Each structure stands twice: as C-alpha cells, then as structure tokens.
Amino acid sequence: MPAPPVPSRAVAPGGAPSAELVTRLVETVSAWFDVHARDLPWRRPECSAWGVLVSEVMLQQTPVVRVEPVWREWLKRWPDAAAFAAAEPADVLRAWGRLGYPRRALRLHECARAIVERHGGEVPDDESLLRALPGVGEYTAAAVRAFAFGRRSVVVDTNVRRVLARTLSGTALPPPHPTAAERELARSVVPGFVVPGSDDAAARWAAASMELGAVVCTARSPRCGECPVAGLCAWRAAGYPGDEHTGRRRTQAWHGTDRQARGRIMALLRDAVGPVPLEAIEALEADRAQLTRCLTSLLTDGLATEDPRPDPPTYSLPSR
DNA sequence: AATTCGGGGTT
DNA sequence: AACCCAGAATT
C-alpha cells in the first residue's frame, strides 16, 4: 500500500501535527537510532547520572569529538560528584583545557558541591531540583532526566529544533532563537503527552531525534539519502526552500574580540607552572585597555586570581 | 529579547 | 571568512 501524499506544510504555524504523522516520525527515527546510534561513553549503561550530567555540560556549545577525550579523563579522575566537589578550581580549569567557555567548568564545580550539600552526592531526577543547580538550564535538566533516568521530558536542543523544523514545519532551519511555538511542537511529539507512549519511548525519542540531527539532518549539508524519515519530511516535500531567517543571523566576531583575548590569557594561566607576572600577560600584544578589561572580568568571573603584593602583580588560576 | 561567553573544525 | 556546535546566565 503506497504511503499517502505528504502536504508541503505538514503543520500549520501554531498548529499541531496529526497523531498519525507524529507516531510515524517518532517510531521510524527511534528504530533508526536503535541501529545507528554512535557508541558514546555517556550512553553506556554503566555510565552514572553524574557522568551524564558532566557530558551535558561539556556538550553545551562544544562538539562531541572534542568533548569525548576530556570526558574520559574527567570521569577517571573524578568518578562522582563528591570527588569532583573536592577538587581544586585550578585543577578543574586545567582539566577543562580548551573546551571553551571555562565558566562552565566553574559552574560544574559549584554544581557538584550543591549536589553534595543538597542531595547527598546523588544527581536528582526532579526537574525543578535539576534546574536549581548551577549551569543546568532547560535543555540540560531535560536531557539528564531522559538520558540518566529514562524519564519522559521535552528535550529541545539545536538538533531537535532542526529536525522538527524540517520534518514537520517544512523550513530549512528553526528561528534564530527558540520560540514558545517550538517548545510546544516539541512537547506534542514526545510519546506520552499528546500521543500515547511510555517513559522509555520518550527518552528513546529524545536521544534518537538528537542523533538524527547530529549525524544525518545536519545544518550544512543534510544527508537526506540516509534519512529514515525523508519520505515524510515536509521540507523535502516542499522542495528544500531556503532559510527564511538568513541574513538576520548575527555573525559572531572572533578576531580582536575580548573573548579571544580572555581565551589567550586563560591559556597562558593554564600552561603556567607558577604565578604569571603582569608583564607576561601584556606581552600577548593586544591593546592595553583590552587586556586590563579582560583581566578584570576574569577576576570577577573567578577564573583568575591576583596577587597584588609583588610589583608587578602576578596572576594565577584560582584556588579554594 | 538581546548580550555575553571559547575554540576549533568544516565549507 | 563565515558558519556551526547536545546552551546558560545576565541585563
């Protein structure tokens, strides 16, 4: 029996997709995931909830291939929240290395201490308790619930947003910033909310939809030839229309920015054996005002400490 | 709602 | 050189 024709726009703006379409999407992608899932260490059954949480924080804006080796060393060194909570901040920042956004490393450290203090060292499975932890936002809380505890939750990351935008909304890319409509659409496809399904099915869909977006339904050049749901994809049915939001996206500058300068300073402090004199930082050849500004902000963020006693003063990674 | 916050691989 | 990446916190 031939599949019914797919309308060019399967979901009206603000509307909900049919239960039949949702079921087909979820079941097909989930079945595909069972066969094609990457063997990532934080997906192993023996991986603890703490290991999952660490992976999610590291994966906030950092690609899987760069996270994996750091995650392995991290869990070997600090197997649980209590062990990590006892670490020196300087060691934490060195272990974080070049994953980027080092404030995440400090938040994860605060997070571990909060887990020890509030939850006896065990990662909570409650949404509001997770959200109350430093560095845990809407996405990460949902992801931990799904991946560490197998609980039903609405996991909406950049991959899921793109998969839903294409398959159900028929657009090349989701809006630049997540909208309430997207969250509602994401919720409506999770097994157990609108369409029936178990917690296990919901958690499996969360992992599967993310994986499809990461591996097949990619931002740049999607591999539609390998996509299990190409046959029901509204974007494909519409003839791959271009991105409506193109041009409005902010191109984030890098060269000469404070972010780059901060990164250079942090690299210097990480690699230093002892305290770094101000002169060594000034030798990074950015302009003086910028270095001063960045140094001040790093001190404010707790990413560096200053010893004003020597002249010139010296700077180091923070200690407790 | 808009900004800030790294860094590196891909196109 | 622009784009992208399992986002969160702050303003």
Side-chain angles (χ1 to χ4, degrees):
Chain A
M1 180 205 282
V6 179
S8 62
R9 181 181 280 281
V11 181
S18 73
E20 183 194 345
L21 177 58
V22 168
T23 299
R24 204 162 19 131
L25 173 69
V26 171
E27 290 187 353
T28 308
V29 174
S30 297
W32 167 86
F33 179 71
D34 291 344
V35 177
H36 296 279
R38 289 169 294 177
D39 179 23
L40 301 174
W42 46 85
R43 283 180 177 165
R44 296 270 176 113
E46 68 268 23
C47 181
S48 65
W50 170 248
V52 172
L53 175 53
V54 171
S55 79
E56 292 303 336
V57 173
M58 288 183 174
L59 287 163
Q60 292 166 0
Q61 299 292 282
T62 304
V64 167
V65 288
R66 290 172 51 199
V67 164
E68 186 167 349
V70 178
W71 183 93
R72 289 182 185 280
E73 290 304 308
W74 199 278
L75 268 290
K76 196 182 306 173
R77 185 171 182 180
W78 300 299
D80 53 42
F84 180 57
E88 277 292 327
D91 292 333
V92 171
L93 289 170
R94 286 200 177 89
W96 191 260
R98 294 178 302 189
L99 289 182
Y101 296 139
R103 292 190 299 187
R104 287 184 295 165
L106 294 185
R107 288 198 202 108
L108 185 59
H109 199 207
E110 296 171 23
C111 178
R113 290 182 300 193
I115 288 173
V116 170
E117 291 174 12
R118 302 173 198 168
H119 310 298
E122 296 298 317
V123 177
D125 64 352
D126 179 84
E127 175 92 30
S128 60
L129 294 180
L130 282 166
R131 284 297 307 266
L133 296 171
V136 178
E138 182 177 346
Y139 162 76
T140 302
V144 169
R145 275 173 56 77
F147 305 146
F149 299 108
R151 301 283 297 276
R152 175 180 301 117
S153 56
V154 185
V155 176
V156 189
D157 78 323
T158 185
N159 292 306
V160 175
R161 294 180 63 216
R162 189 172 54 250
V163 167
L164 295 181
R166 287 178 178 164
T167 57
L168 297 181
S169 302
T171 60
L173 294 173
H177 300 291
T179 63
E182 282 187 88
R183 275 195 292 277
E184 182 49 41
L185 178 61
R187 201 187 96 89
S188 75
V189 305
V190 173
F193 285 125
V194 176
V195 298
S198 63
D199 269 35
D200 280 352
R204 181 161 158 253
W205 158 250
S209 53
M210 286 176 59
E211 187 77 347
L212 187 72
V215 176
V216 174
C217 193
T218 56
R220 290 292 185 87
S221 45
R223 307 171 177 194
C224 301
E226 303 173 26
C227 181
V229 287
L232 59 72
C233 179
W235 183 47
R236 182 165 179 267
Y240 301 117
D243 179 22
E244 333 168 7
H245 310 94
T246 184
R248 272 189 278 167
R249 288 173 186 273
R250 287 220 182 277
T251 160
Q252 66 175 355
W254 174 242
H255 293 284
T257 61
D258 283 6
R259 280 154 88 157
Q260 184 185 39
R262 281 169 55 108
R264 283 202 187 117
I265 296 171
M266 287 302 293
L268 190 60
L269 298 184
R270 276 198 311 268
D271 297 340
V273 176
V276 177
L278 179 59
E279 294 162 331
I281 297 175
E282 288 171 338
L284 291 175
E285 73 178 304
D287 67 87
R288 185 72 128 242
Q290 182 178 52
L291 276 181
T292 302
R293 188 169 62 244
C294 291
L295 210 40
T296 301
S297 70
L298 289 174
L299 294 173
T300 300
D301 290 344
L303 288 166
T305 57
E306 179 187 46
D307 183 351
R309 291 171 299 181
D311 185 21
T314 61
Y315 298 87
S316 310
L317 294 180
S319 56
R320 55 175 65 251

